[in-house]
Amino acid sequence: MSGFPNGLVLEIAANSHLSALAAQAGGADRIELCENLGEGGTTPSYGTLAMTRDKLSIPIFVLIRPRAGDFLYDARETEVMLHDIAACRQLGCDGVVIGALDSAGTIDLPLCRELVAAASGMQVTFHRAFDAVRDPVQALESIIALGCHRVLTSGAQADAVRGAAAIAGFVRQAADRLSILAGAGLTPGNVSGLIEATGVSEVHASAKARRPSAMAYRNPALTGLEYDRQETDPAIVAAFRQALATR
């Protein structure tokens, strides 16, 4: 449910339990809970799911993605996703975020039907696998037929601002059959213009900032270990809210 009188919805991609708490503190309408945002996001741990569901009062949608890389999944990965959806149901999560393609770059309808059926009773968002399809117009019709409630998209571009024209086309195509959720590269400074250009009513951002590590000792030989981390910043979330509230 939107917290804005103008009906806009702010979804924050939270990459940890702490990020989820920060998103709520900053005024997010809901979160997409995930891990490994640097790799496009993967499914969070059960502990993260359980603690976040216990501490948050806003809706929690959970990313169901068993690994980084492409969106072509085998039978074993399908079983993992089905188990993760079952865990979301058990914990009382509000929605899941799914997506799968075949090798030809079209929606994997048999697999997606299975995932949507497993999520019955929860909201279903189709994630940015949509941006990797061969024919977005056809793919959007397939996603609508699956019964998904929304599609997260950057307009098949590196960021939603560059994909604004395509996103506007998806909004017109979808009409009132599902919601187009615009995301990737959004900031408090560009989100209002993106809404104006596309007509979307839901936006998605990570609102993250660098969190320096408190470690006093750092082993310089561990060149692959990044001590600092990216975490949702409640001040950036609040800035998004301010930008949306003044539209």
Side-chain angles (χ1 to χ4, degrees):
M1 180 179 295
S2 172
F4 297 94
N6 55 19
L8 297 176
V9 174
L10 174 61
E11 177 181 276
I12 296 297
N15 65 344
S16 68
H17 177 62
L18 292 178
S19 284
L21 293 174
Q24 177 168 269
D29 291 306
R30 66 170 182 256
I31 65 163
E32 181 197 276
L33 188 60
C34 62
E35 291 177 354
N36 302 312
L37 265 179
E39 296 184 316
T42 56
T43 305
S45 73
Y46 185 88
T48 297
L49 286 173
M51 283 192 63
T52 303
R53 179 66 288 173
D54 183 57
K55 299 299 182 182
L56 261 65
S57 59
I58 60 175
I60 298 170
F61 289 6
V62 181
L63 178 60
I64 305 298
R65 188 178 180 221
R67 56 163 172 78
D70 63 31
F71 306 101
L72 180 64
Y73 301 114
D74 64 20
R76 290 168 295 183
E77 291 169 322
T78 298
E79 286 300 310
V80 170
M81 290 189 284
L82 291 171
H83 277 85
D84 284 335
I85 291 172
C88 292
R89 177 185 299 286
Q90 174 197 359
L91 291 168
C93 296
D94 303 276
V96 293
V97 183
I98 62 105
L101 307 181
D102 61 26
S103 61
T106 59
I107 306 297
D108 186 338
L109 288 173
L111 172 50
C112 288
R113 286 192 192 102
E114 195 171 359
L115 298 177
V116 170
S120 178
M122 291 185 279
Q123 290 270 307
V124 178
T125 300
F126 196 98
H127 58 52
R128 287 189 63 205
F130 174 70
D131 288 327
V133 300
R134 183 187 300 274
D135 183 343
V137 171
Q138 180 187 58
L140 184 55
E141 293 300 323
S142 295
I143 293 168
I144 292 168
L146 284 167
C148 295
H149 299 88
R150 67 188 50 77
V151 178
L152 172 61
T153 180
S154 65
Q157 298 295 322
D159 61 68
V161 172
R162 279 181 275 189
I167 295 171
F170 300 148
V171 171
R172 290 190 296 270
Q173 180 185 347
D176 59 356
R177 297 181 293 169
L178 72 116
S179 180
I180 303 298
L181 171 63
L186 294 185
T187 68
N190 66 23
V191 68
S192 183
L194 186 281
I195 293 169
E196 184 71 26
T198 62
V200 297
S201 59
E202 301 190 27
V203 292
H204 168 102
S206 59
K208 61 183 182 295
R210 193 173 191 83
R211 287 285 180 263
S213 171
M215 289 293 296
Y217 171 74
R218 305 188 185 199
N219 184 350
L222 300 180
T223 55
L225 175 62
E226 176 58 67
Y227 282 87
D228 298 343
R229 66 185 187 276
Q230 295 287 329
E231 190 174 284
T232 298
D233 186 329
I236 299 177
V237 178
F240 269 103
R241 281 201 68 82
Q242 179 63 26
L244 297 181
T246 55
R247 280 196 50 76

